[in-house]
Amino acid sequence: MQRSKISFAVCTALLCSAAQAKTDTSFLNLDNVTVITSSIDSESDTTQSNDVILQDEIRSINAQNVTDVFKYSPNVEVTGGPSGDVKSISIRGLGQDHANVTIDGARQTYSHSKRGSWAINPNLLKSATVTNGTSSGAAAGAVKLEFISAYDLLKPDASFGALVNSGFRSNNNQQDLSATIYGLNNGFDWLLSASDSSHDPYSIGGGYQRDGKDSYYKTGGENQSYLFKSGYDLSPSEYIGLSVYMDNSEWDQVRQDYGYNTRDYTSAVLNYSNQGSNSDFLDFNANVYINQVDTYTREYTDETKATTSDTQKIADDSYGFMLTNNSLLNGPFEETLLHYGLSGHFTTHDGEVGTLDNGSWVDESAQSEPSAKSHQLASWLNAQMLLGNGFTLIPSLRYDEFYVESSNAEFEGEALLRDGRTENQLSTGLRLNQEINEKLNLFVAYDEALTAPGLSELFTSGRGFKPNPNLKSERSQNKEIGFTFNSGSVITHDDNLLAKINVFQNDIKDYIGTDYTDPAYKDGVKVNRDEIRLRGGEILTQYRYENWDVSASYGMTIGEDLTTGEYLSDMPSDKFVVSIENQLSDEWRLSGKATHALKRHRVPTTQIDRNGDTVTIPEDERQSVSAWTTVDLYAEYIPAQLQDMTLSMSVSNLFDEAYALQNNSRADTKAEYYEEGRSLNIDLSYNF
């Protein structure tokens, strides 16, 4: 496929170097001025705060799940748990529900406490990108996942290949096995992959024992994944592709409930692109997609897993589309790039919860898991204007609409959202990039976004939550400034230093948080807070010399409720990450990562009780989290005589640190929410 003039213009305007899905060339996805470029270790000079994790790194860190892929990213926190099947991430203190998440271009809104947010096998990913900051109609930012294709695995001049992979993790006896075949013929590429993974409960670090146990039985599980991906070159500039992914997972329901979850996830995406290589006005991309998530929970009374008759049957289905185009204009400035598009995302949530009474089904869905539907529509127009003298101006305009209704939801006898509810907003944005010289670039930005509540927040997402159908959408205003410094020959003639600093302040009206003021609902209720402020930033540095690569990052987010003056409880710990890598030879690559999280002491000290009174939170119930440090070591070996084989080895949590990412004062033991202790991990792959 040829590349359009517009692709070159976009990269020139914003100094990008991101890899396009099928080709090894540069392109930008500019949905609402989210600059999806490459990470700190790329040739990019953009000041956008983001992190791109590519396939080789995902494999080398032996990621257990998708959240593990992002655990080193600055200002990204792993939340949920302790089971990896129910973990998610937060970006700058905002949970995954506050982000625009796409997988191969399909938007994902499935995110339910106790039932997980991800159904993705990280070993099938080509790349994972997280972008911090208000963008793409979301207050937190964007997460973009992309599956591998035949183009990523085929050897030069080959038309067929196969990949087998086997992995083992010592701490939880995790065993992974996958097989992939792929090919390319006359412009038609295809890939078919199947994988299986199972793991026992993991042991936490520090030699912790309680009642002779150092693990929590709910952290075991298994899953099977299947990926089919194909495409065809309709012409040198046109491409049509299909991606189908299926995953079946089983795990114990976490927190204070007893149950065994089974989840079937299916995603299908059909995409079309026309880069119009001879036209300045055509660089068109379109996709349509379907996501289906079916979850079935068998309830039991205790950890002996004695099954009762209680069941939960949940179906989350969504479909949608996205249409975008780029047009390049010459004048009145040096160059102007217009990026515009439309998107729609439609969701239905069908719940069936009940018990068997004398052989008859008693439906309790209206109280515990109601049926509902929603849609999110958006349109946007961005103009990127080269003003001369190194200035690029990017004004933006975006319209979002959110609608939700329920056919059977009720609370305390009152019907909820029968007639539906609509919210909308016209959001504006303005960004200015200044290339001061060939080494230094400056960036300032203002962005607005409307972030709609998820169905799981409006209703329940499982028993134990108090529904709040009156939740309003969040309205965020993010201000940000940053710079990038990129220079060679800093100490010697063949080294390079790259540094990025971003500072932000995100003011959010009607922020969606959680209150635990009603003891009848142990999992709390989602509420709107009048106005909150998030502030902080990221610092990233990288130094390269010959075969050495040293990088360091720091992320901090402070969240405050401007009405009460209290800190917010959901903010991440301040985190440092230092990484050292050395390519010892053509066969051996060694690296190590050290992560240090400071004590999370900025936590609320008071709360509003069910009577509306302000009460002090007992010190032992506050959400403070102790400081912790982990060290992970990695090695990769590719034999000179057998270069089709790759052996990846790692030791995670080398010093067996006992640590928690979040405080759970309601847990009976540390094992219920502490993270995995030391583990020896091995991954062996053969590509032939």
Side-chain angles (χ1 to χ4, degrees):
M1 178 190 293
Q2 293 181 358
R3 203 165 145 229
S4 71
K5 297 178 184 178
I6 299 176
S7 298
F8 283 108
V10 175
C11 294
T12 301
L14 292 178
L15 303 169
C16 75
S17 62
Q20 176 71 330
K22 173 178 174 301
T23 62
D24 192 22
T25 57
S26 298
F27 192 74
L28 283 171
N29 177 357
L30 297 173
D31 180 10
N32 197 33
V33 299
T34 297
V35 185
I36 305 295
T37 62
S38 45
S39 62
I40 186 75
D41 61 352
S42 74
E43 297 173 341
S44 172
D45 288 326
T46 180
T47 53
Q48 183 74 25
S49 180
N50 66 356
D51 192 13
V52 176
I53 303 98
L54 300 178
Q55 182 183 2
D56 287 346
E57 184 175 358
I58 295 173
R59 181 188 66 239
S60 67
I61 66 175
N62 298 105
Q64 296 184 78
N65 47 62
V66 175
T67 56
D68 273 357
V69 173
F70 296 111
K71 67 181 181 180
Y72 300 116
S73 301
N75 254 338
V76 176
E77 180 90 340
V78 177
T79 63
S83 171
D85 294 283
V86 297
K87 287 184 176 179
S88 60
I89 63 171
S90 72
I91 306 170
R92 289 181 173 176
L94 297 172
Q96 198 167 300
D97 287 327
H98 306 251
N100 187 312
V101 180
T102 60
I103 301 175
D104 266 5
R107 184 167 184 178
Q108 310 291 308
T109 53
Y110 167 73
S111 179
H112 294 288
S113 176
K114 304 181 184 179
R115 298 194 190 94
S117 302
W118 301 98
I120 302 301
N121 183 346
N123 295 323
L124 297 177
L125 291 178
K126 171 187 176 180
S127 64
T129 303
V130 56
T131 302
N132 299 355
T134 296
S135 61
S136 304
V143 177
K144 178 183 176 184
L145 305 179
E146 185 178 353
F147 287 121
I148 57 174
S149 69
Y151 284 95
D152 304 312
L153 300 177
L154 277 169
K155 299 176 183 178
D157 302 322
S159 60
F160 177 80
L163 173 69
V164 292
N165 179 278
S166 178
F168 175 75
R169 194 175 192 90
S170 68
N171 184 291
N172 60 352
N173 193 35
Q174 179 170 324
Q175 301 178 58
D176 303 317
L177 182 65
S178 66
T180 306
I181 55 175
Y182 45 89
L184 173 65
N185 186 34
N186 295 325
F188 174 73
D189 65 276
W190 61 274
L191 177 146
L192 180 62
S193 182
S195 59
D196 180 86
S197 177
S198 63
H199 59 275
D200 297 332
Y202 65 74
S203 299
I204 69 174
Y208 171 82
Q209 291 280 333
R210 175 159 177 169
D211 298 330
K213 299 179 181 179
D214 64 353
S215 63
Y216 185 42
Y217 74 98
K218 293 185 178 183
T219 59
E222 58 182 290
N223 78 291
Q224 295 80 40
S225 303
Y226 307 91
L227 172 65
F228 173 73
K229 195 168 182 177
S230 66
Y232 181 68
D233 286 317
L234 299 172
S235 72
S237 61
E238 292 179 280
Y239 182 79
I240 187 169
L242 174 67
S243 174
V244 179
Y245 176 77
M246 295 181 291
D247 181 275
N248 175 266
S249 302
E250 296 182 339
W251 72 95
D252 286 282
Q253 193 167 357
V254 298
R255 299 179 190 166
Q256 299 183 32
D257 294 331
Y258 293 102
Y260 197 71
N261 285 336
T262 300
R263 177 183 61 206
D264 291 314
Y265 171 88
T266 302
S267 176
V269 188
L270 179 66
N271 62 79
Y272 167 80
S273 64
N274 187 339
Q275 294 189 348
S277 57
N278 296 319
S279 173
D280 287 343
F281 301 100
L282 180 64
D283 192 353
F284 179 72
N285 287 271
N287 71 50
V288 292
Y289 58 87
I290 297 174
N291 297 317
Q292 294 180 325
V293 188
D294 296 323
T295 307
Y296 180 82
T297 302
R298 301 188 303 274
E299 296 289 315
Y300 46 76
T301 56
D302 54 36
E303 61 183 273
T304 64
K305 300 187 179 182
T307 304
T308 72
S309 58
D310 292 343
T311 58
Q312 300 179 352
K313 302 175 184 178
I314 311 299
D316 287 275
D317 298 330
S318 62
Y319 63 94
F321 68 90
M322 180 179 289
L323 310 174
T324 66
N325 190 54
N326 297 315
S327 297
L328 184 63
L329 308 178
N330 294 313
F333 306 104
E334 292 184 7
E335 280 183 338
T336 298
L337 175 75
L338 297 181
H339 172 76
Y340 43 96
L342 299 169
S343 69
H345 184 78
F346 306 85
T347 302
T348 60
H349 177 89
D350 293 321
E352 190 173 316
V353 180
T355 59
L356 286 175
D357 184 10
N358 295 324
S360 300
W361 178 263
V362 179
D363 188 0
E364 300 173 348
S365 301
Q367 286 286 341
S368 302
E369 196 67 58
S371 297
K373 64 180 181 180
S374 68
H375 72 241
Q376 298 179 53
L377 305 176
S379 61
W380 59 90
L381 171 63
N382 310 321
Q384 302 180 15
M385 298 174 282
L386 293 181
L387 305 181
N389 298 318
F391 283 97
T392 302
L393 184 66
I394 311 173
S396 65
L397 196 63
R398 179 183 176 104
Y399 174 79
D400 288 280
E401 178 182 289
F402 169 68
Y403 173 82
V404 62
E405 70 173 54
S406 175
S407 60
N408 69 337
E410 63 180 52
F411 181 67
E412 296 180 348
E414 180 183 355
L416 306 177
L417 288 174
R418 292 295 189 274
D419 298 326
R421 175 163 59 88
T422 300
E423 294 180 278
N424 53 58
Q425 176 172 294
L426 185 64
S427 303
T428 61
L430 185 64
R431 294 180 174 235
L432 179 65
N433 293 277
Q434 165 65 37
E435 183 182 358
I436 297 175
N437 55 47
E438 61 180 11
K439 298 180 180 180
L440 185 63
N441 288 273
L442 179 67
F443 142 86
V444 293
Y446 170 82
D447 290 305
E448 297 176 341
L450 177 78
T451 307
L455 295 181
S456 62
E457 296 174 317
L458 288 164
F459 301 109
T460 59
S461 181
R463 284 173 275 191
F465 289 84
K466 184 177 181 179
N468 185 0
N470 298 315
L471 277 179
K472 295 179 287 187
S473 296
E474 298 174 340
R475 301 174 189 270
S476 59
Q477 298 177 338
N478 186 58
K479 285 76 66 178
E480 190 160 349
I481 184 170
F483 73 84
T484 298
F485 177 80
N486 191 353
S487 176
S489 302
V490 178
I491 300 176
T492 68
H493 69 281
D494 57 354
D495 67 354
N496 183 265
L497 175 65
L498 177 62
K500 292 185 178 183
I501 296 180
N502 289 72
V503 179
F504 69 91
Q505 178 176 299
N506 195 359
D507 293 310
I508 303 178
K509 295 182 179 180
D510 298 321
Y511 166 78
I512 299 173
T514 306
D515 275 354
Y516 298 93
T517 56
D518 192 337
Y521 296 91
K522 60 188 177 184
D523 292 314
V525 57
K526 294 295 183 180
V527 297
N528 285 119
R529 307 197 190 283
D530 291 340
E531 189 169 0
I532 65 105
R533 172 168 293 169
L534 306 176
R535 52 190 173 91
E538 299 90 30
I539 301 174
L540 302 95
T541 61
Q542 181 183 53
Y543 179 75
R544 285 178 171 174
Y545 173 68
E546 294 183 345
N547 294 327
W548 288 92
D549 190 323
V550 181
S551 62
S553 68
Y554 170 70
M556 178 186 72
T557 298
I558 301 172
E560 297 174 276
D561 187 325
L562 298 184
T563 302
T564 65
E566 287 281 357
Y567 289 116
L568 300 177
S569 61
D570 301 327
M571 298 299 103
S573 301
D574 299 357
K575 184 175 69 175
F576 294 89
V577 177
V578 177
S579 175
I580 301 176
E581 180 178 311
N582 181 251
Q583 187 74 44
L584 291 177
S585 64
D586 292 337
E587 295 183 310
W588 282 97
R589 179 167 63 94
L590 303 179
S591 65
K593 296 180 183 289
T595 305
H596 177 67
L598 301 180
K599 179 179 179 180
R600 190 183 305 171
H601 62 278
R602 295 184 291 264
V603 296
T605 58
T606 64
Q607 66 180 6
I608 306 298
D609 65 13
R610 63 186 306 176
N611 298 318
D613 299 325
T614 300
V615 297
T616 300
I617 302 174
E619 190 168 348
D620 61 348
E621 296 181 10
R622 296 174 186 174
Q623 299 300 305
S624 177
V625 178
S626 299
W628 54 269
T629 303
T630 59
V631 176
D632 306 318
L633 301 180
Y634 305 95
E636 184 176 85
Y637 175 60
I638 302 176
Q641 304 302 318
L642 195 60
Q643 294 190 3
D644 293 330
M645 186 184 79
T646 301
L647 175 63
S648 299
M649 300 166 285
S650 68
V651 181
S652 53
N653 197 356
L654 176 64
F655 299 109
D656 203 30
E657 174 89 342
Y659 70 104
L661 300 176
Q662 295 176 315
N663 185 307
N664 189 346
S665 59
R666 296 174 294 164
D668 292 330
T669 71
K670 291 182 179 179
E672 290 188 31
Y673 64 102
Y674 268 53
E675 297 299 306
E676 184 186 49
R678 180 171 48 239
S679 182
L680 174 63
N681 319 303
I682 298 175
D683 183 275
L684 179 65
S685 63
Y686 188 75
N687 191 356
F688 57 91

